[in-house]
Amino acid sequence: MRLISWNVASLRARLPRVQELLEELEPDVLCLQETKCSAEQLPREAIASFGYRIDDHSEGRWNGVAVLTRIEDAEAGDGDPALEASSHTVRGLQGEHDPAQARWVETRVGGIVVCSAYVVNGKALDHPDYQAKLQFFRAMADRVRVLADAGPVAVLGDVNVCLTDQDCWNPAQFVGSTHTSEPERAALRGVLEAGPLVDAHDAYNGALDAAGEPVFTWWDYRAGSFHKNWGLRIDLAMLDRETAKRIDSVWIARDFRKGEKPSDHVPLVVDLD
């Protein structure tokens, strides 16, 4: 089973790249963040023509999350499974600051509840969004606890936090700002502990890649950050411990940060046996 998470920074703008990913990497499940579509704007028929169903939580101009599932793996309803939502689809989190922001969707695929999450950025330590971010993590932890008690769960998405200093290209530059503050890290650890869940990349690869370099999933578009590898590891796949035992490989599809109209994130790929 292949699970992929990708913040596409606009599904409509990146639809050709999404098609490219589906054709080249053939995921069983693709979790998307920042789809930036209303429910009416979501390209459901195009996604279906690629061989996938889409279960979404859509807000409009900002945010938005989705889970794409191979049509043969999708639950059949009374109509076309490519265009119908799963009976297991859950949108939003109880206790989050603003459910209308469309930051969480979950559905069941092959016995696993798969969740796509897009955590609040936070903006600044003294900004109201920072407290909303911590509240979102608490709501995530509460939901993860319920899901993990019921069976296998995989939470994939953009968490907007570097768990450790090795997940940030220059920790000193982030002192006093979001993404590396201890309250954020503690809140994310709370989600992992609630399952308990395993950070798939860290469990499989450790902190560094085979060349001894840190692995990042996001790079700013400016200042040649990607080529200089000035990045952050803020996209995670978090699996319950039994599912984590099935990990065969975890890697980033780096070439999708290149080419025409790339997102500023790369896809994170988790292969299970």
Side-chain angles (χ1 to χ4, degrees):
M1 186 177 194
R2 171 166 286 179
L3 308 173
I4 298 181
S5 181
W6 192 16
N7 181 322
V8 289
S10 176
L11 177 55
R12 288 181 293 166
R14 234 67 65 188
L15 188 59
R17 300 304 304 268
V18 171
Q19 180 180 10
E20 177 186 350
L21 181 144
L22 294 174
E23 291 175 349
E24 290 189 9
L25 300 185
E26 299 183 327
D28 296 284
V29 180
L30 172 60
C31 293
L32 300 178
Q33 301 85 43
E34 276 199 274
T35 55
K36 296 185 178 181
C37 298
S38 67
E40 295 73 26
Q41 293 170 326
L42 207 70
R44 298 181 194 278
E45 292 187 359
I47 297 296
S49 74
F50 305 156
Y52 288 78
R53 187 194 67 201
I54 184 166
D55 294 297
D56 67 294
H57 189 16
S58 298
E59 175 264 347
R61 184 178 178 187
W62 310 111
N63 313 318
V65 286
V67 178
L68 277 61
T69 310
R70 282 184 185 275
I71 289 173
E72 57 263 34
D73 296 329
E75 279 193 341
D78 294 331
D80 185 348
L83 301 178
E84 287 192 349
S86 165
S87 60
H88 294 277
T89 299
V90 174
R91 297 174 178 85
L93 291 169
Q94 184 175 359
E96 65 176 303
H97 175 70
D98 184 2
Q101 288 190 5
R103 295 181 176 276
W104 177 275
V105 66
E106 63 187 64
T107 191
R108 187 178 296 278
V109 184
I112 300 176
V113 174
V114 179
C115 313
S116 181
Y118 177 44
V119 176
V120 182
N121 178 283
K123 295 182 180 175
L125 300 187
D126 58 355
H127 194 282
D129 279 7
Y130 183 76
Q131 294 304 318
K133 183 176 192 174
L134 300 181
Q135 185 174 341
F136 189 88
F137 276 127
R138 290 192 292 271
M140 277 183 70
D142 289 343
R143 183 59 180 163
V144 161
R145 192 174 293 110
V146 170
L147 292 173
D149 282 346
V153 59
V155 180
L156 292 86
D158 178 357
V159 299
N160 270 315
V161 175
C162 298
L163 261 175
T164 72
D165 282 352
Q166 285 188 311
D167 298 319
C168 176
W169 73 276
N170 185 0
Q173 184 167 308
F174 285 79
V175 172
S177 63
T178 60
H179 289 62
T180 63
S181 73
E182 181 51 33
E184 291 168 284
R185 288 176 169 175
L188 178 54
R189 289 196 298 269
V191 174
L192 290 164
E193 292 163 1
L197 302 181
V198 172
D199 174 355
H201 171 84
D202 185 61
Y204 182 77
N205 297 304
L208 306 177
D209 67 12
E213 296 294 327
V215 176
F216 303 133
T217 61
W218 174 91
W219 298 261
D220 198 310
Y221 286 122
R222 299 167 294 182
S225 296
F226 179 61
H227 301 289
K228 297 172 183 175
N229 205 28
W230 293 354
L232 305 174
R233 187 174 79 93
I234 56 176
D235 301 88
L236 301 186
M238 299 177 282
L239 313 176
D240 69 273
R241 288 180 175 174
E242 287 303 309
T243 301
K245 292 177 182 178
R246 297 172 51 195
I247 294 174
D248 185 62
S249 63
V250 183
W251 49 285
I252 60 168
R254 188 177 174 86
D255 284 348
F256 283 87
R257 185 57 175 79
K258 308 172 186 177
E260 186 175 356
K261 289 188 176 181
S263 169
D264 47 0
H265 294 250
V266 289
L268 173 65
V269 184
V270 179
D271 290 321
L272 304 176
D273 63 20

